[in-house]
């Protein structure tokens, strides 16, 4: 399979699929994982989750991890950039990740 075809297939992987895979793998690595889904589909939590809130919150051994999941071609919305700046100003890092590998790298930084 050509690299171009592989890149096209990866770029079409929905963020929701990436997000679910990340939570599954983090759980296998001992993290407690909450995922908030895609806009409009936050599993009944939409009213209590402000716009731009990271997709995933995970905890392990007293440490927290905030992840914003994007597809290979996804980008942060204005609300997400604003939320990430607000969280950053309060000392919280939000990691923007595009794969399970990147999420595990972020998680390893927290351990």
């Amino acid at each position: 399979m050509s690299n171009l075809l592989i890149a096209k297939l990866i770029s079409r992987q929905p963020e929701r699929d990436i997000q679910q895979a990340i939570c599954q793998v983090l759980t296998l690595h001992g993290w407690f994982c909450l995922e908030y889904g895609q806009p409009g589909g936050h599993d009944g939590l939409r009213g209590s989750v402000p716009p731009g809130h990271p997709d995933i919150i995970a905890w392990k051994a007293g440490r927290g991890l905030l992840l914003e999941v994007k597809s290979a071609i996804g980008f942060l919305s204005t609300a997400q950039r604003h939320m990430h700046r607000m969280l950053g100003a309060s000392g919280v890092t939000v990691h923007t990740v595009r794969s399970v590998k990147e999420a595990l790298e972020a998680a390893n930084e927290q351990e």
Side-chain angles (χ1 to χ4, degrees):
M1 194 177 303
S2 76
N3 287 341
L4 181 58
L5 180 56
I6 291 170
K8 283 183 180 180
L9 290 172
I10 289 172
S11 71
R12 290 187 181 141
Q13 185 177 17
E15 290 175 8
R16 179 73 178 164
D17 292 350
I18 300 167
Q19 183 175 319
Q20 288 175 337
I22 288 170
C23 274
Q24 289 172 353
V25 170
L26 287 177
T27 299
L28 290 173
H29 284 262
W31 290 83
F32 174 76
C33 190
L34 289 176
E35 56 181 304
Y36 289 95
Q38 297 296 309
H42 282 54
D43 302 325
L45 296 174
R46 193 66 184 144
S48 61
V49 178
H53 191 279
D55 295 315
I56 296 172
I57 301 176
W59 296 271
K60 179 179 180 182
R63 293 186 172 89
L65 179 65
L66 295 175
L67 300 173
E68 182 65 48
V69 180
K70 292 293 168 197
S71 69
I73 59 172
F75 56 92
L76 293 174
S77 69
T78 300
Q80 289 167 333
R81 287 192 304 275
H82 176 72
M83 177 63 72
H84 294 192
R85 278 193 303 272
M86 286 179 32
L87 289 167
S90 65
V92 177
T93 300
V94 179
H95 300 270
T96 301
V97 298
R98 298 178 185 280
S99 66
V100 171
K101 180 183 178 205
E102 288 180 5
L104 284 175
E105 289 169 356
N108 288 335
E109 290 176 15
Q110 300 298 317
E111 293 189 78

